[in-house]
Every structure is written in C-alpha cells, then in structure tokens.
Amino acid sequence: MVEMGSVQVPNSFKYVACINEELRNLSLSGHVGFDSLPDQLVNKSTSQGFCFNILCVGETGIGKSTLMDTLFNTKFESDPATHNEPGVRLKARSYELQESNVRLKLTIVDTVGFGDQINKDDSYKPIVEYIDAQFEAYLQEELKIKRSLFNYHDTRIHACLYFIAPTGHSLKSLDLVTMKKLDSKVNIIPIIAKADTIAKNELHKFKSKIMSELVSNGVQIYQFPTDEETVAEINATMSVHLPFAVVGSTEEVKIGNKMAKARQYPWGVVQVENENHCDFVKLREMLIRVNMEDLREQTHTRHYELYRRCKLEEMGFKDTDPDSKPFSLQETYEAKRNEFLGELQKKEEEMRQMFVMRVKEKEAELKEAEKELHEKFDLLKRTHQEEKKKVEDKKKELEEEVNNFQKKKAAAQLLQSQAQQSGAQQTKKDKDKKNASFT
Ligand code: GDP
C-alpha cells in the first residue's frame, strides 16, 4: 500500500497515480539524439517495405484492369473475363513494385463475373466473405502464441474502388446493396468508370445524384482525412469532386511535342492525365500520393478493429464484467470452457435420450412384427388342422366305402360259388338220370 494524501491505495494504483501527475517540461543542456526518431522510423519502414491491397468492384468490361495499369504505370497480367461466369469469384494477384528505394507489395483483387448473373441477389456475398477471410487470417496470426506479424503478408483490403457504370441516370440497386454491405468492412472510394462516354453537364448532375443516393441510403464511403494540417486542404478540396470520373488507357498518344496517355477517337483525344478531361489525376493523388497511409491505418484501426471486436465478443471475451471490473482472460476462458462442457453434456444427454427412444421404437416395431407373425402362424396352424381333419374324414369315408365294397365283393363271390355248386349238382343229377334210363 502507498499513501496518497490521507487515502491508502494499493500498490497497483501507484503507476496510475504517477502518470496522472502533471508533466514537467525540462530543457536539455546538450544534444541527446532522440530527434532522430522520425528518421529511424522512416529507415525501418523503408527497409521493411510496404504493402497495399486494392479491391476493384465493378461489372466485367467496365475498365478495372485498364485503370489499374494506368494508375501504376505498368501492365499487370489479366485474362479478359467472359460474361458467362456462374457466380462472382475474387481473384487476387500480388506484385512487387519499386519506386526510388521504396518497395511496395501491391495486391490487386478483381471481382470476376460481378454483374453477369440474371439473379444478382447474392453477388455481394463472395466479396464480403473474401474481406472477412483476410481479417480472420490476420486475427489468427495475432492470436498465435508465436506471432510473426513483422513479416506477415497482410492481405487485408485497404481500398475498395467501386466502379460505377457511366449511365448518367442513377446508381443501380446492385451498386447500392453491394456498397451498403461493404461500407463497414472496407474504405470505399466510388468512381465513375469510362467517364469519356458521358457529356460534361450530364456528368455533373450524375455525380450529385450518386452522392445524394449514397447519403439517403446510408452508405458510408471513405472520407479523406482533414484532421492533419498538411493534407487537410487538398483532401477537403478533392472530396467535392467525388465520385471521381476516370478514364483509363495505357496507350501513349503524341500531343503537341509530348507523349501522353490518352484515348483517341475520330473526333478527338481524351487525355487521361488532363484534369479538364477527367478526374484520373485526382484519384491517383488521393489514393496513392496523399492518403495511402491513412487508408492502411483506417483499415487497421477502424475496419479490422470492428471485425476483431465482434469476433472476440462472439467468442465470449469482454473488456469489463457486468460490475465494470476488468475482465480476466482466465475467467473468460474458464467460463467459456464450462459453457462448452455444459453444452457437450446436454448434447450427449440429448443423443442418449434419442438413442433410447429409437431403441424403444425399434423394439415396439419388432414386437408388433412378432405378434403379426404369431397370428399368421396360428391361422396357418388352424387352417392346417382343419385341412387335416377334412382329409382324415375323407380317408375314413373312403375306408368305409372300401370295407363295404369288400363285404359286397365277398357276398357276391359266395353267392357265385353257391350258384356254381348247385349248378354242378344239378348237372350230376341229370347225368345220373340219363344213365339210369339207358340201362
Ligand atoms: P475489366 O473487365 O473491368 O477489367 O475491363 P477492361 O479493363 O478489360 O476494359 C474493357 C474494355 O473497356 C477494353 O476494351 C478497354 O479498352 C475499355 N476501356 C477501359 N477503360 C476505358 C475508359 O476509360 N473509357 C473507354 N471508353 N473505354 C475503356
């Protein structure tokens, strides 16, 4: 215990008490060297390299691959997708890029087959699942006992470029639904693709329509940060131009005496990097040159944090218990373990009861079958006995008939032999008579 004024406080509160004391400013009497900390940070970050992951959401053929090539001034590999995909699938490709001495591991994720199905109800699901899977992978790495976040390939999506078709009307329901499902998971930057196909006055109206639809539907898009002095002005100015109307092309066209990226038409040339022609430069400034670090930071501190919080709460972790005391990890683990064991026991009991019930049912079925068998057997036995009795009666009848027949036969034979005997005696008498008359 330590004494603070007249109050006795436990030792664990000592640290809190110290940091609550007012900070004193001291001037150094010589150079110490901690003013090199920012340089140390820059050197460390530069040697580690950076990673940046972009998700391109938009219909097949809307110009996603072309814009990526134009943005990074290179030709990324891409196989043109057909419109026959049965569903939406996400395809990620990673590249190592270097500018001056800064290395960037860039991952571009394409939504193959987006908008190509007749039923588009579930089109957003694979995208949400992909984003969550990257958060989950990071969370799993964080929860490991031996973490290696230092050289972990972070695949969490830092920016989602949402490609809006240049219809000049309004957002499609697919766009609104998808953006709404994604806005709490990723930094959405809406862009109007193929802006060279829409007239200037129509584009202006289209932009305001899109922004008002996003607001009325509660879709939260990425807000360029204005809290830091160095970027506040440019970010505030650029926000007005959202959604950026972009044109993509890697084709170099001679304009005056310079070569520039442009799209050539029979009636003229659209220069990609001319701010009077489209907002490509604004997008590049905002996405890469000014806010890349903020996008990375927002992903970690806002979107990932939300995912992590929900996931840990789902698993039963809390910061404080109902009495507002700090929640112990050990207690949470024990509580969760007991809950799990309880559920397991309940399940086991349910399964046992189910098993007993099924056995009883089977037993009853078997008994019923046995009873039916017995009844059948009895019936058969009875029929057999009746049949046997009938046969025996018939046999008796037949035997009686045979006996009668035998008796009749014996009587007939007796009669016949008597008749024969009397016939023979008569013949002898007649013979004797004859002989007597001769003599
Ligand atoms: P993805 O399927 O979304 O990756 O689309 P692609 O980048 O492969 O582009 C499909 C077609 O649209 C190609 O013929 C491109 O040349 C064309 N395209 C790309 N960007 C633009 C653009 O800004 N304006 C016009 N008019 N066509 C474009």
Side-chain angles (χ1 to χ4, degrees), residues 375-386:
E375 277 171 5
K376 259 191 200 165
F377 177 72
D378 287 345
L379 187 74
L380 272 172
K381 207 169 144 188
R382 254 182 282 132
T383 332
H384 173 252
Q385 276 172 350
E386 278 167 17

Side-chain angles (χ1 to χ4, degrees), residues 110-264:
D110 194 2
T111 46
V112 183
F114 187 77
D116 286 335
Q117 296 76 39
I118 295 171
N119 182 355
K120 299 181 181 72
D121 287 357
D122 291 340
S123 296
Y124 70 88
K125 277 190 185 157
I127 308 175
V128 169
E129 279 163 13
Y130 180 88
I131 296 171
D132 281 348
Q134 312 318 307
F135 283 149
E136 185 60 32
Y138 191 88
L139 181 64
Q140 288 304 324
E141 188 60 39
E142 258 192 350
L143 293 178
K144 274 184 189 169
I145 293 175
K146 272 188 178 180
R147 297 182 291 181
S148 51
L149 289 168
F150 169 74
N151 55 2
Y152 174 77
H153 180 197
D154 187 1
T155 52
R156 292 172 300 172
I157 299 296
H158 299 118
C160 164
L161 293 182
Y162 196 95
F163 289 67
I164 299 164
T167 57
H169 289 272
S170 53
L171 284 169
K172 297 178 188 176
S173 49
L174 173 66
D175 298 330
L176 277 172
V177 169
T178 310
M179 281 197 255
K180 188 80 200 122
K181 295 281 177 192
L182 298 185
D183 71 353
S184 59
K185 296 180 177 288
V186 75
N187 299 311
I188 301 177
I189 303 177
I191 55 177
I192 299 170
K194 298 190 179 179
D196 52 331
T197 60
I198 187 165
K200 199 170 176 178
N201 58 341
E202 281 178 359
L203 180 64
H204 194 68
K205 281 188 210 150
F206 190 37
K207 278 190 177 189
S208 346
K209 184 94 199 278
I210 291 171
M211 290 314 278
S212 69
E213 278 187 336
L214 290 177
V215 172
S216 59
N217 286 283
V219 178
Q220 293 280 320
I221 59 167
Y222 172 64
Q223 299 296 316
F224 301 132
T226 48
D227 45 4
E228 206 189 303
E229 245 178 71
T230 48
V231 292
E233 200 186 325
I234 184 168
N235 277 344
T237 324
M238 290 292 183
S239 299
V240 180
H241 296 279
L242 277 169
F244 296 132
V246 296
V247 174
S249 174
T250 44
E251 197 189 329
E252 297 268 338
V253 176
K254 194 156 191 213
I255 293 156
N257 52 4
K258 268 202 213 153
M259 295 299 280
K261 282 196 206 81
R263 294 189 80 83
Q264 242 179 329

Side-chain angles (χ1 to χ4, degrees), residues 58-67 69-70 78-81 110 163 193-197 246-249 263 265 272:
E59 295 161 17
T60 308
I62 203 165
K64 300 183 293 290
S65 327
T66 314
L67 190 79
D69 291 352
T70 323
S78 68
D79 337 298
D110 194 2
F163 289 67
K194 298 190 179 179
D196 52 331
T197 60
V246 296
V247 174
S249 174
R263 294 189 80 83
Y265 295 100
V272 170

